[in-house]
Coordinates of all heavy atoms in Angstrom, one line a residue:
M64 N -14.0 -18.1 8.9 CA -13.6 -17.0 8.0 C -13.9 -17.5 6.6 O -13.5 -18.6 6.2 CB -12.1 -16.7 8.2 CG -11.7 -15.6 7.3 SD -9.9 -15.3 7.3 CE -9.6 -14.9 9.1
A65 N -14.5 -16.6 5.8 CA -14.9 -17.0 4.5 C -13.6 -16.9 3.6 O -12.6 -16.3 3.9 CB -15.9 -15.9 3.9
A66 N -13.6 -17.7 2.5 CA -12.5 -17.7 1.6 C -12.1 -16.4 1.1 O -10.9 -16.0 0.9 CB -12.7 -18.7 0.5
D67 N -13.1 -15.5 0.8 CA -12.8 -14.2 0.2 C -12.1 -13.3 1.3 O -11.2 -12.6 0.9 CB -14.1 -13.5 -0.2 CG -14.7 -14.1 -1.4 OD1 -14.0 -14.8 -2.2 OD2 -15.9 -13.9 -1.6
D68 N -12.5 -13.5 2.6 CA -11.8 -12.7 3.6 C -10.3 -13.1 3.7 O -9.4 -12.3 3.9 CB -12.4 -12.9 5.0 CG -13.8 -12.3 5.0 OD1 -14.1 -11.4 4.2 OD2 -14.6 -12.7 5.9
R69 N -10.1 -14.4 3.6 CA -8.7 -14.9 3.6 C -7.8 -14.4 2.5 O -6.7 -14.0 2.7 CB -8.7 -16.4 3.6 CG -7.3 -17.0 3.8 CD -7.4 -18.5 4.0 NE -6.1 -19.0 4.0 CZ -5.7 -20.1 3.3 NH1 -6.5 -20.8 2.7 NH2 -4.4 -20.5 3.4
L70 N -8.4 -14.3 1.3 CA -7.7 -13.7 0.2 C -7.3 -12.3 0.4 O -6.2 -11.8 0.1 CB -8.4 -13.8 -1.1 CG -8.6 -15.2 -1.7 CD1 -9.5 -15.2 -2.9 CD2 -7.3 -15.8 -2.0
E71 N -8.2 -11.5 1.0 CA -7.9 -10.1 1.3 C -6.8 -10.0 2.4 O -5.9 -9.2 2.3 CB -9.2 -9.4 1.8 CG -10.2 -9.2 0.7 CD -11.5 -8.6 1.2 OE1 -11.5 -8.1 2.4 OE2 -12.4 -8.6 0.5
D72 N -6.9 -10.9 3.4 CA -5.9 -10.9 4.4 C -4.5 -11.3 3.8 O -3.5 -10.7 4.2 CB -6.2 -11.9 5.5 CG -7.4 -11.4 6.4 OD1 -7.7 -10.2 6.3 OD2 -8.0 -12.2 7.1
D73 N -4.5 -12.2 2.9 CA -3.2 -12.6 2.3 C -2.6 -11.4 1.5 O -1.4 -11.2 1.5 CB -3.4 -13.7 1.3 CG -3.6 -15.0 2.1 OD1 -3.4 -15.1 3.3 OD2 -4.1 -16.0 1.4
E74 N -3.5 -10.6 0.8 CA -3.0 -9.4 0.1 C -2.5 -8.4 1.1 O -1.4 -7.8 0.9 CB -4.2 -8.8 -0.7 CG -3.8 -7.5 -1.4 CD -2.8 -7.7 -2.5 OE1 -2.6 -8.8 -3.0 OE2 -2.2 -6.6 -2.9
L75 N -3.2 -8.2 2.2 CA -2.7 -7.3 3.2 C -1.3 -7.7 3.8 O -0.4 -7.0 4.0 CB -3.7 -7.1 4.4 CG -3.4 -6.2 5.5 CD1 -3.1 -4.8 5.0 CD2 -4.5 -6.2 6.6
A76 N -1.2 -9.0 4.1 CA 0.0 -9.6 4.6 C 1.2 -9.4 3.6 O 2.3 -9.0 4.0 CB -0.1 -11.1 4.9
R77 N 0.9 -9.6 2.3 CA 1.9 -9.4 1.3 C 2.4 -7.9 1.3 O 3.6 -7.7 1.2 CB 1.4 -9.8 -0.1 CG 2.5 -9.7 -1.2 CD 1.9 -9.9 -2.6 NE 0.9 -8.8 -2.9 CZ 1.2 -7.6 -3.2 NH1 2.4 -7.2 -3.2 NH2 0.3 -6.7 -3.5
R78 N 1.4 -7.0 1.3 CA 1.8 -5.6 1.3 C 2.5 -5.2 2.6 O 3.4 -4.3 2.5 CB 0.5 -4.8 1.1 CG -0.1 -5.0 -0.3 CD -1.4 -4.3 -0.5 NE -1.3 -2.9 -0.3 CZ -2.3 -2.2 0.3 NH1 -3.4 -2.8 0.7 NH2 -2.1 -0.9 0.4
L79 N 2.1 -5.8 3.7 CA 2.9 -5.5 5.0 C 4.3 -6.0 4.9 O 5.2 -5.3 5.4 CB 2.1 -6.1 6.2 CG 0.9 -5.4 6.6 CD1 0.1 -6.3 7.6 CD2 1.2 -4.0 7.3
R80 N 4.5 -7.2 4.3 CA 5.9 -7.7 4.2 C 6.7 -6.8 3.2 O 7.9 -6.5 3.5 CB 5.8 -9.1 3.6 CG 5.5 -10.2 4.6 CD 5.8 -11.6 4.1 NE 5.1 -11.8 2.8 CZ 3.9 -12.3 2.6 NH1 3.2 -12.6 3.7 NH2 3.4 -12.5 1.5
D81 N 6.1 -6.3 2.2 CA 6.8 -5.4 1.3 C 7.2 -4.1 2.0 O 8.3 -3.6 1.9 CB 5.9 -5.0 0.1 CG 6.5 -4.1 -0.9 OD1 7.7 -4.3 -1.3 OD2 5.9 -3.1 -1.2
A82 N 6.2 -3.6 2.8 CA 6.5 -2.3 3.6 C 7.7 -2.6 4.6 O 8.6 -1.8 4.7 CB 5.3 -1.9 4.3
H83 N 7.7 -3.8 5.2 CA 8.7 -4.1 6.1 C 10.1 -4.1 5.5 O 11.1 -3.6 6.0 CB 8.4 -5.5 6.8 CG 9.5 -5.9 7.8 ND1 10.5 -6.8 7.4 CD2 9.7 -5.5 9.0 CE1 11.2 -6.9 8.5 NE2 10.8 -6.2 9.4
R84 N 10.2 -4.7 4.3 CA 11.4 -4.8 3.6 C 11.9 -3.4 3.2 O 13.1 -3.1 3.3 CB 11.3 -5.6 2.3 CG 11.2 -7.0 2.5 CD 11.2 -7.8 1.2 NE 10.7 -9.1 1.4 CZ 9.5 -9.5 1.1 NH1 8.6 -8.7 0.4 NH2 9.1 -10.8 1.3
R85 N 11.0 -2.5 2.8 CA 11.4 -1.2 2.4 C 11.8 -0.4 3.6 O 12.8 0.4 3.5 CB 10.2 -0.5 1.7 CG 9.9 -1.2 0.4 CD 8.7 -0.7 -0.3 NE 9.0 0.6 -0.8 CZ 8.0 1.4 -1.3 NH1 6.9 0.9 -1.6 NH2 8.3 2.6 -1.7
V86 N 11.2 -0.5 4.8 CA 11.6 0.2 6.0 C 12.9 -0.2 6.4 O 13.8 0.6 6.8 CB 10.5 0.1 7.1 CG1 11.0 0.6 8.4 CG2 9.2 0.8 6.7
R87 N 13.2 -1.5 6.3 CA 14.4 -2.1 6.8 C 15.6 -1.5 6.0 O 16.7 -1.4 6.5 CB 14.4 -3.6 6.6 CG 15.0 -4.4 7.6 CD 14.9 -5.9 7.4 NE 15.1 -6.3 6.1 CZ 14.5 -7.3 5.4 NH1 13.5 -7.9 6.1 NH2 14.8 -7.6 4.2
M88 N 15.4 -1.1 4.7 CA 16.4 -0.6 3.8 C 16.7 0.9 4.0 O 17.6 1.4 3.4 CB 16.1 -0.9 2.4 CG 15.9 -2.4 2.1 SD 17.3 -3.4 2.5 CE 18.4 -2.9 1.2
L89 N 15.9 1.5 4.8 CA 16.0 3.0 5.0 C 17.3 3.3 5.8 O 17.7 2.6 6.6 CB 14.8 3.6 5.7 CG 13.5 3.6 4.9 CD1 12.4 4.0 5.8 CD2 13.6 4.5 3.7
P90 N 17.8 4.6 5.6 CA 18.9 5.0 6.5 C 18.4 5.1 7.9 O 17.2 5.4 8.1 CB 19.3 6.4 5.9 CG 18.3 6.7 4.9 CD 17.4 5.5 4.6
A91 N 19.3 5.0 8.8 CA 19.0 5.0 10.2 C 18.2 6.3 10.7 O 17.4 6.2 11.5 CB 20.2 4.9 11.1
S92 N 18.5 7.4 10.0 CA 17.9 8.7 10.4 C 16.4 8.6 10.1 O 15.6 9.3 10.8 CB 18.5 9.8 9.6 OG 18.3 9.6 8.2
E93 N 15.9 7.9 9.2 CA 14.5 7.8 8.9 C 13.9 6.5 9.4 O 12.7 6.4 9.6 CB 14.3 7.8 7.3 CG 14.7 9.1 6.7 CD 14.5 9.0 5.2 OE1 13.4 8.5 4.8 OE2 15.4 9.3 4.4
K94 N 14.7 5.5 9.6 CA 14.1 4.2 9.9 C 13.3 4.1 11.2 O 12.3 3.5 11.2 CB 15.3 3.1 10.0 CG 14.8 1.7 10.1 CD 15.9 0.8 10.4 CE 16.8 0.6 9.2 NZ 17.8 -0.4 9.3
E95 N 13.8 4.7 12.2 CA 13.2 4.6 13.6 C 11.8 5.1 13.5 O 10.8 4.5 14.0 CB 14.0 5.3 14.6 CG 13.5 5.1 16.0 CD 14.3 5.7 17.1 OE1 15.5 6.0 16.8 OE2 13.8 5.9 18.2
R96 N 11.6 6.3 13.0 CA 10.3 7.0 13.0 C 9.3 6.2 12.1 O 8.2 5.9 12.5 CB 10.4 8.4 12.4 CG 9.1 9.1 12.3 CD 9.3 10.6 11.8 NE 10.0 10.6 10.5 CZ 9.3 10.5 9.4 NH1 8.0 10.4 9.3 NH2 10.0 10.6 8.2
L97 N 9.8 5.8 10.9 CA 8.9 5.0 10.0 C 8.6 3.6 10.5 O 7.6 3.1 10.3 CB 9.5 5.0 8.6 CG 9.5 6.4 8.0 CD1 10.2 6.4 6.6 CD2 8.1 7.0 7.8
A98 N 9.6 3.0 11.2 CA 9.4 1.7 11.8 C 8.3 1.7 12.8 O 7.4 0.8 12.9 CB 10.6 1.1 12.4
R99 N 8.2 2.8 13.6 CA 7.1 2.9 14.6 C 5.8 3.0 13.9 O 4.8 2.4 14.4 CB 7.4 4.1 15.5 CG 8.4 3.8 16.6 CD 8.4 4.9 17.7 NE 8.7 6.2 17.2 CZ 9.9 6.8 17.2 NH1 10.9 6.2 17.7 NH2 10.0 8.0 16.7
R100 N 5.7 3.8 12.9 CA 4.5 4.0 12.1 C 4.1 2.6 11.5 O 2.9 2.3 11.5 CB 4.7 5.0 11.1 CG 3.4 5.4 10.3 CD 3.6 6.6 9.5 NE 2.4 6.8 8.6 CZ 2.3 7.7 7.7 NH1 3.3 8.5 7.5 NH2 1.2 7.8 7.0
Y101 N 5.0 1.9 11.0 CA 4.8 0.6 10.4 C 4.2 -0.4 11.4 O 3.2 -1.1 11.2 CB 6.0 0.0 9.8 CG 5.9 -1.4 9.4 CD1 5.2 -1.8 8.3 CD2 6.5 -2.4 10.2 CE1 5.1 -3.2 7.9 CE2 6.3 -3.8 9.9 CZ 5.6 -4.1 8.8 OH 5.5 -5.5 8.5
L102 N 4.8 -0.4 12.6 CA 4.3 -1.3 13.7 C 2.9 -0.9 14.1 O 2.1 -1.8 14.5 CB 5.2 -1.2 14.9 CG 6.6 -1.9 14.7 CD1 7.5 -1.7 15.9 CD2 6.4 -3.4 14.4
A103 N 2.5 0.4 14.1 CA 1.2 0.8 14.4 C 0.2 0.3 13.4 O -0.9 -0.2 13.8 CB 1.1 2.3 14.5
I104 N 0.6 0.3 12.2 CA -0.3 -0.3 11.1 C -0.4 -1.8 11.3 O -1.5 -2.3 11.1 CB 0.3 0.1 9.7 CG1 0.2 1.6 9.5 CG2 -0.5 -0.7 8.6 CD1 1.0 2.0 8.3
C105 N 0.6 -2.5 11.6 CA 0.6 -3.9 11.9 C -0.4 -4.2 13.0 O -1.2 -5.2 13.0 CB 1.9 -4.5 12.2 SG 3.0 -4.5 10.8
D106 N -0.3 -3.4 14.1 CA -1.2 -3.6 15.2 C -2.6 -3.4 14.8 O -3.5 -4.2 15.2 CB -0.8 -2.7 16.4 CG -1.5 -3.0 17.6 OD1 -1.6 -4.1 18.1 OD2 -2.1 -2.0 18.2
L107 N -2.9 -2.4 14.0 CA -4.2 -2.1 13.6 C -4.8 -3.2 12.7 O -6.0 -3.6 12.7 CB -4.3 -0.8 12.8 CG -5.6 -0.3 12.3 CD1 -6.6 -0.1 13.4 CD2 -5.5 0.9 11.5
A108 N -3.9 -3.9 11.9 CA -4.3 -4.9 11.0 C -4.9 -6.1 11.8 O -5.8 -6.8 11.3 CB -3.1 -5.4 10.2
K109 N -4.5 -6.3 13.0 CA -5.1 -7.4 13.8 C -6.5 -7.1 14.2 O -7.3 -8.0 14.4 CB -4.3 -7.5 15.1 CG -2.9 -7.9 14.9 CD -2.1 -7.9 16.2 CE -0.6 -8.0 16.0 NZ 0.1 -7.9 17.3
R110 N -6.9 -5.8 14.4 CA -8.2 -5.5 14.8 C -9.1 -5.0 13.7 O -10.3 -5.3 13.7 CB -8.1 -4.4 15.9 CG -7.5 -4.9 17.1 CD -7.3 -3.7 18.1 NE -6.0 -3.0 17.8 CZ -6.0 -1.7 17.5 NH1 -7.1 -1.0 17.5 NH2 -4.8 -1.2 17.2
D111 N -8.6 -4.3 12.7 CA -9.4 -3.7 11.7 C -8.6 -3.7 10.3 O -8.0 -2.7 10.0 CB -9.8 -2.3 12.1 CG -10.8 -1.6 11.1 OD1 -11.1 -2.2 10.1 OD2 -11.3 -0.6 11.5
P112 N -8.7 -4.8 9.6 CA -7.9 -5.0 8.4 C -8.2 -3.9 7.3 O -7.3 -3.5 6.6 CB -8.2 -6.4 7.9 CG -8.7 -7.1 9.1 CD -9.4 -6.1 10.0
E113 N -9.4 -3.5 7.3 CA -9.8 -2.5 6.3 C -9.1 -1.1 6.5 O -8.6 -0.5 5.6 CB -11.3 -2.3 6.2 CG -12.0 -3.5 5.6 CD -13.5 -3.3 5.6 OE1 -14.0 -2.2 5.7 OE2 -14.2 -4.3 5.4
R114 N -9.2 -0.7 7.8 CA -8.5 0.6 8.1 C -7.0 0.5 8.0 O -6.3 1.4 7.5 CB -8.9 1.0 9.5 CG -10.2 1.7 9.6 CD -10.5 2.3 11.0 NE -9.5 3.2 11.4 CZ -9.2 3.5 12.6 NH1 -9.8 2.9 13.6 NH2 -8.3 4.4 12.9
A115 N -6.5 -0.7 8.3 CA -5.0 -0.9 8.2 C -4.6 -0.9 6.8 O -3.6 -0.3 6.4 CB -4.7 -2.3 8.8
S116 N -5.4 -1.4 5.9 CA -5.1 -1.4 4.5 C -5.1 0.0 3.9 O -4.2 0.4 3.2 CB -6.2 -2.2 3.7 OG -5.8 -2.3 2.3
A117 N -6.0 0.8 4.4 CA -6.0 2.2 3.9 C -4.8 3.0 4.5 O -4.2 3.7 3.7 CB -7.3 2.9 4.4
R118 N -4.4 2.8 5.7 CA -3.3 3.4 6.3 C -2.0 2.9 5.7 O -1.0 3.7 5.5 CB -3.2 3.2 7.8 CG -4.4 4.0 8.5 CD -4.3 3.8 10.0 NE -3.3 4.6 10.6 CZ -2.9 4.6 11.8 NH1 -3.5 3.8 12.7 NH2 -2.0 5.4 12.3
L119 N -2.0 1.6 5.3 CA -0.8 1.1 4.7 C -0.6 1.7 3.3 O 0.5 1.9 2.9 CB -0.9 -0.5 4.6 CG 0.2 -1.2 3.9 CD1 1.5 -0.9 4.7 CD2 -0.1 -2.7 3.9
E120 N -1.7 1.9 2.6 CA -1.6 2.5 1.3 C -1.0 3.9 1.4 O -0.1 4.2 0.6 CB -3.0 2.6 0.6 CG -3.0 3.1 -0.8 CD -2.3 2.1 -1.7 OE1 -2.4 0.9 -1.5 OE2 -1.7 2.6 -2.7
A121 N -1.4 4.7 2.3 CA -0.8 6.0 2.6 C 0.6 5.9 2.9 O 1.5 6.7 2.5 CB -1.6 6.8 3.6
F122 N 1.0 4.9 3.8 CA 2.3 4.7 4.2 C 3.2 4.3 3.0 O 4.3 4.9 2.9 CB 2.4 3.6 5.3 CG 3.7 3.4 5.8 CD1 4.4 4.3 6.6 CD2 4.4 2.2 5.6 CE1 5.6 4.1 7.2 CE2 5.6 1.9 6.1 CZ 6.2 2.9 6.9
L123 N 2.8 3.4 2.2 CA 3.5 3.0 1.0 C 3.7 4.2 0.0 O 4.8 4.4 -0.6 CB 2.9 1.9 0.3 CG 2.9 0.5 1.0 CD1 2.1 -0.5 0.3 CD2 4.4 0.1 1.2
S124 N 2.7 5.0 -0.1 CA 2.9 6.2 -1.0 C 3.9 7.2 -0.4 O 4.6 7.8 -1.1 CB 1.5 6.9 -1.3 OG 1.0 7.5 -0.1
L125 N 3.9 7.3 0.9 CA 5.0 8.1 1.6 C 6.3 7.6 1.3 O 7.3 8.3 1.0 CB 4.7 8.2 3.1 CG 5.8 8.8 3.9 CD1 5.7 10.3 3.7 CD2 5.7 8.5 5.4
L126 N 6.5 6.2 1.3 CA 7.8 5.6 1.0 C 8.1 5.8 -0.5 O 9.3 5.9 -0.8 CB 7.8 4.1 1.3 CG 7.7 3.8 2.8 CD1 7.6 2.3 3.0 CD2 8.9 4.3 3.6
D127 N 7.1 5.9 -1.3 CA 7.4 6.1 -2.8 C 7.8 7.5 -3.1 O 8.4 7.8 -4.1 CB 6.2 5.7 -3.6 CG 5.9 4.2 -3.6 OD1 6.9 3.5 -3.4 OD2 4.8 3.8 -3.9
T128 N 7.4 8.5 -2.2 CA 7.7 9.9 -2.5 C 9.2 10.1 -2.3 O 9.7 9.9 -1.3 CB 6.9 10.8 -1.5 OG1 5.5 10.4 -1.6 CG2 7.1 12.2 -1.8
P129 N 9.8 10.7 -3.4 CA 11.2 11.0 -3.2 C 11.4 12.1 -2.1 O 10.7 13.1 -2.1 CB 11.7 11.6 -4.6 CG 10.5 11.5 -5.4 CD 9.3 11.0 -4.6
R130 N 12.4 11.9 -1.3 CA 12.7 12.8 -0.2 C 13.8 13.7 -0.6 O 14.8 13.3 -1.0 CB 13.1 12.0 1.1 CG 12.2 10.9 1.5 CD 11.0 11.2 2.3 NE 11.4 11.5 3.7 CZ 10.6 12.1 4.5 NH1 9.5 12.5 4.1 NH2 11.0 12.3 5.7
N131 N 13.5 15.0 -0.4 CA 14.6 16.0 -0.6 C 15.4 16.0 0.7 O 15.0 15.6 1.8 CB 14.0 17.4 -0.8 CG 13.3 17.5 -2.1 OD1 13.5 16.8 -3.0 ND2 12.3 18.4 -2.1
D132 N 16.6 16.5 0.6 CA 17.5 16.6 1.8 C 16.9 17.7 2.6 O 17.1 18.9 2.4 CB 18.9 16.9 1.4 CG 19.6 15.7 0.7 OD1 19.1 14.6 0.9 OD2 20.5 15.9 -0.1
E133 N 16.1 17.3 3.6 CA 15.4 18.2 4.5 C 16.3 19.1 5.3 O 15.9 20.2 5.7 CB 14.4 17.5 5.3 CG 13.3 16.7 4.5 CD 12.5 15.9 5.4 OE1 12.8 15.6 6.5 OE2 11.4 15.5 4.9
N134 N 17.4 18.6 5.7 CA 18.2 19.4 6.7 C 19.4 20.1 6.1 O 20.4 20.3 6.7 CB 18.7 18.4 7.8 CG 17.5 17.9 8.6 OD1 16.5 18.6 8.8 ND2 17.6 16.6 9.0
T135 N 19.4 20.4 4.8 CA 20.5 20.9 4.1 C 20.5 22.5 4.1 O 21.5 23.0 3.6 CB 20.6 20.4 2.7 OG1 19.4 20.7 2.0 CG2 20.8 18.9 2.7
L136 N 19.5 23.1 4.5 CA 19.4 24.6 4.4 C 20.5 25.3 5.1 O 21.0 26.3 4.7 CB 18.0 25.1 4.8 CG 16.9 24.7 3.9 CD1 15.6 25.2 4.4 CD2 17.1 25.3 2.5
G137 N 20.8 24.9 6.3 CA 21.8 25.6 7.1 C 23.3 25.1 6.8 O 24.2 25.7 7.4
D138 N 23.5 24.2 6.0 CA 24.8 23.6 5.8 C 25.6 24.5 4.9 O 25.3 25.1 3.9 CB 24.7 22.2 5.2 CG 24.1 21.3 6.2 OD1 24.0 21.6 7.4 OD2 23.6 20.2 5.8

């Protein structure tokens, strides 16, 4: 593996760790669904780091998006 490839992998690993910490801190109602999505990205990272990086970027932006109380309309 070339040194440049290793640096990219380290960046991907750092971002995956960050995503893991953020998913761990979510309320239980959101955690299960997003944890499955996170694990799918981790699995993809083993085979295709470039695609995993793109999916991780979208996942992180989803985590950054403030969530409205989705289930409050009938309350």
Side-chain angles (χ1 to χ4, degrees):
M64 180 185 302
D67 290 339
D68 291 342
R69 184 169 172 225
L70 289 176
E71 290 175 13
D72 290 345
D73 289 347
E74 175 67 17
L75 178 59
R77 184 191 61 76
R78 292 173 59 220
L79 284 168
R80 282 191 306 271
D81 179 50
H83 179 260
R84 284 186 200 106
R85 293 175 66 185
V86 168
R87 219 176 46 215
M88 301 302 290
L89 291 172
S92 61
E93 295 180 47
K94 186 187 293 189
E95 186 176 343
R96 178 180 58 85
L97 293 175
R99 282 194 300 262
R100 186 170 172 185
Y101 168 77
L102 288 174
I104 294 168
C105 289
D106 187 50
L107 180 62
K109 297 174 191 176
R110 294 175 276 120
D111 190 349
E113 289 179 18
R114 280 187 58 208
S116 183
R118 290 181 77 185
L119 180 59
E120 186 64 34
F122 183 69
L123 289 172
S124 68
L125 173 73
L126 291 176
D127 287 337
T128 304
R130 310 273 284 164
N131 293 334
D132 292 335
E133 296 174 344
N134 296 327
T135 59
L136 289 178
D138 296 342

